[in-house]
Amino acid sequence: MGAFRETRKHHQQNQSPLKLLSCLEHFSAQRQTQSHKEMASWCASRCFQIPAMDVAALRNRASIAAAAGVGCASIAGTSFLRSSKSKRALPFTCLSISTDASLKEAVKTEKAPAALGPYSQAIKSNNLLFVSGVLGLVPETGKFVSDNVEDQTEQILKNMGEILKAGGANYSSVVKTTIMLADLKDFKKVNEIYAKYFPSTPPARSTYQVAALPLDAKIEIECIAAL
């Protein structure tokens, strides 16, 4: 019986180094796996300029988000999420332009002609200012400054400047204009006056000849400005 115990003890002692070696190999494999995950997270943070994060945790969040219905974008198989109710935007989140009526703000100034119909002089929405078509009317009288296309163009751009100012913008903020002419032969005359108001980096522009304009105007101009 004593000899059996000695033999068993000797067998256990001989097996201890093997078990230790096996444990060390298992531990080393775990460390390599962890290192790979850390390296992938580090590469992601360097390439996309975002904080290092646990990829597995993000995948779990992506699964939960799919069921909860939140916005997300996928980059290189990694999901970055943002709740639709969250006020703080995270990198690579879905972006959209809101159509909520409460986010529209009407702009009105007495220093420019009043609207001739059911529309606003301008609307502020999504960091943009949309200016309605402006005519060469004198704000105080509501009459055309003259029948001359040059005078109307000058008055239009002055009126537009007042609307831009009321909306928190200016001529340099304008990114797009649309010119409507009763006669396209006036194009050169209009350009000479127009250029004085947009001397540097003029906005994108479209110019059309139309069949007729409100109040038999010679010209009408509308624009969009960035805020």
Side-chain angles (χ1 to χ4, degrees), residues 51-74:
M53 55 189 71
D54 188 342
V55 175
L58 285 173
R59 287 175 179 167
N60 291 336
R61 289 179 62 187
S63 298
I64 296 172
V70 301
C72 68
S74 179

Side-chain angles (χ1 to χ4, degrees), residues 97-110:
I97 296 178
S98 175
T99 56
D100 188 347
S102 64
L103 298 180
K104 295 194 303 182
E105 179 184 345
V107 174
K108 185 177 181 180
T109 176
E110 294 181 356

